[in-house]
Amino acid sequence: MRFPSFRRDATALRRGARTLPRLAGLAVAVGLIAGFQPAVAASAATSADAAVVAVPSDANAAATTKAAAALGVPGGGVALAKQADNVLTAVFIDTDGALNVAWEVNNGAWNAPVRISDSVGVPGGGVALSRQNANRFTAAFVDKWGRLNVAWLDNGKPWSAPQPISDPIAKPGGSVALAQHFDRELTAAFVDTQGALRISTAVGNDWWTYPTAISGSVGVSGSPVALARFGNSMYAGIIDTSGRLDIAFQSYFGAAWTSPFGVGNPVTVAGGGVALAQQNDNTLTASIPGNGSTWVAWINNGGPWNGPVDIGGWGAAPGAGVAMSKQTGDILVSVAVDRWGVFTVAWVVDGAAWHPPVQVGGVLAPNGARVAVAKQDNTILTAAFLGNDGKLNVSWVEGTGGWRGPVPIN
């Protein structure tokens, strides 16, 4: 793939690479940055197999007409998740504070974002998305009053209106994370107004527990939280007030959460971005946009946390958004928007060293924009962010081929 700034960054990438062993599987690495392909088109048409969209409770004709052309805040919060085996869905809070949903079916054209709520959110605020169980798909965000809200889609029914599940204990528009703990429990996490990490859970279709503080004032109110299941445990990560990675975990379903503990030295700004993902059956990995480059920390089964370690290259600025996902069975990627506003991908092949971030496409988003990434099907991995024009952009890769896009879908 051609990168507008590749020559400028080539020296920096080589400089970072000197500190690392050579990447095994060179053919895979070359494939990751292979040639550009034509972009997918966006479509405003709905499908019987796609997301079911509800009209906002305020049935205002102008608002409903406006919904199909909704724009987000450049670099604002966005989330991606599988709604069904053949449906990938994205959500964000638009410039009017309404929750919007976009989706694609069977690897087809993306449907343009459609408003599914009234203006109860903070424009560009954080948002999370996950399957709750086999029958329910859930979005979460902190509304403009500071209450944690959930909206959900039951199979074959329209999206519900967002419902608060807490008092005003969170920063309005602050970040929130969602993750499944097996198929019976969905976990939500956020950092409250006092800097405490709070956890709420829903089992089956039961109502959510009130968010419980599992720490003292160790975090920055509203800052990003990472959640990931690893084996029988659920892990949460934040960047604390010193700029250090803090980890808390629930060792098994229904167990009490541990208090957060520090991992390594501070490597970024207080309350910065962090992502967690399972690298393989034995390793859970964290990615942090740090001071000058990307840092990773990891834990192996039964062992202590390692790192954070600088993987080299020039990536996102400290505190930028970051997301992680498996690309294939043995490739884990970390995506971010770098300090020049270009979407970037870093990756590791099991048994090899991390490859520093590589630019994909041109300058399309604000420095450090928030990003999301999720599997679209068994072979396609898709990333999303809100560009400088407020449009939802997607980039994708199939197997070990080259990343395509990013392209706007509205």
Side-chain angles (χ1 to χ4, degrees), residues 130-148:
S130 176
R131 290 292 318 176
Q132 183 165 331
N133 52 52
N135 300 311
R136 179 165 291 185
F137 188 53
T138 299
F141 64 95
V142 177
D143 67 21
K144 59 187 177 184
W145 299 282
R147 305 174 303 181
L148 181 61

Side-chain angles (χ1 to χ4, degrees), residues 7-353:
R7 289 189 178 181
R8 178 192 64 202
D9 297 328
T11 301
L13 288 171
R14 286 195 297 270
R15 185 181 302 119
R18 292 193 196 112
T19 65
L20 301 169
R22 291 181 63 85
L23 176 66
L26 182 59
V28 173
V30 171
L32 285 166
I33 55 173
F36 181 84
Q37 298 293 326
V40 292
S43 170
T46 58
S47 163
D49 298 322
V52 180
V53 178
V55 176
S57 58
D58 176 10
N60 181 293
T64 303
T65 301
K66 182 179 180 181
L71 294 177
V73 174
V78 61
L80 276 176
K82 288 298 293 290
Q83 178 180 320
D85 289 342
N86 64 335
V87 181
L88 181 66
T89 298
V91 293
F92 63 91
I93 308 292
D94 69 17
T95 53
D96 290 328
L99 182 63
N100 278 246
V101 58
W103 67 98
E104 66 76 31
V105 183
N106 292 327
N107 299 333
W110 277 85
N111 291 266
V114 176
R115 175 181 292 186
I116 61 169
S117 83
D118 296 331
S119 299
V120 296
V122 174
V127 62
L129 193 61
S130 176
R131 290 292 318 176
Q132 183 165 331
N133 52 52
N135 300 311
R136 179 165 291 185
F137 188 53
T138 299
F141 64 95
V142 177
D143 67 21
K144 59 187 177 184
W145 299 282
R147 305 174 303 181
L148 181 61
N149 275 241
V150 293
W152 62 92
L153 177 72
D154 288 336
N155 293 345
K157 296 181 180 180
W159 277 90
S160 74
Q163 300 292 323
I165 63 173
S166 79
D167 297 319
I169 57 175
K171 179 180 179 180
S175 294
V176 60
L178 286 174
Q180 268 190 310
H181 200 163
F182 299 103
D183 296 330
R184 55 183 174 174
E185 180 183 55
L186 185 61
T187 299
F190 64 95
V191 181
D192 71 14
T193 54
Q194 304 303 310
L197 179 60
R198 286 185 179 256
I199 300 292
S200 177
T201 58
V203 178
N205 286 344
D206 291 344
W207 194 237
W208 289 79
T209 63
Y210 194 85
T212 300
I214 64 168
S215 77
S217 300
V218 298
V220 175
S221 177
S223 63
V225 180
L227 278 177
R229 177 186 157 194
F230 180 46
N232 292 326
S233 301
M234 181 68 75
Y235 283 78
I238 62 171
I239 302 300
D240 67 21
T241 54
S242 73
R244 183 176 61 174
L245 172 65
D246 275 31
I247 295 290
F249 65 92
Q250 182 188 40
S251 58
Y252 58 88
F253 176 75
W257 280 79
T258 69
S259 296
F261 57 88
V263 175
N265 297 316
V267 297
T268 187
V269 297
V274 59
L276 283 173
Q278 187 167 331
Q279 183 170 330
N280 54 44
D281 289 343
N282 301 311
T283 306
L284 179 69
T285 300
S287 180
I288 306 162
N291 296 323
S293 57
T294 300
W295 297 71
V296 295
W298 66 97
I299 184 174
N300 296 319
N301 284 338
W305 277 86
N306 302 275
V309 172
D310 186 347
I311 67 171
W314 287 92
V322 61
M324 300 177 77
S325 178
K326 293 299 291 286
Q327 178 176 331
T328 66
D330 62 351
I331 300 174
L332 177 67
V333 300
S334 175
V335 300
V337 173
D338 69 16
R339 64 195 64 221
W340 296 284
V342 181
F343 175 69
T344 66
V345 181
W347 68 94
V348 62
V349 183
D350 270 355

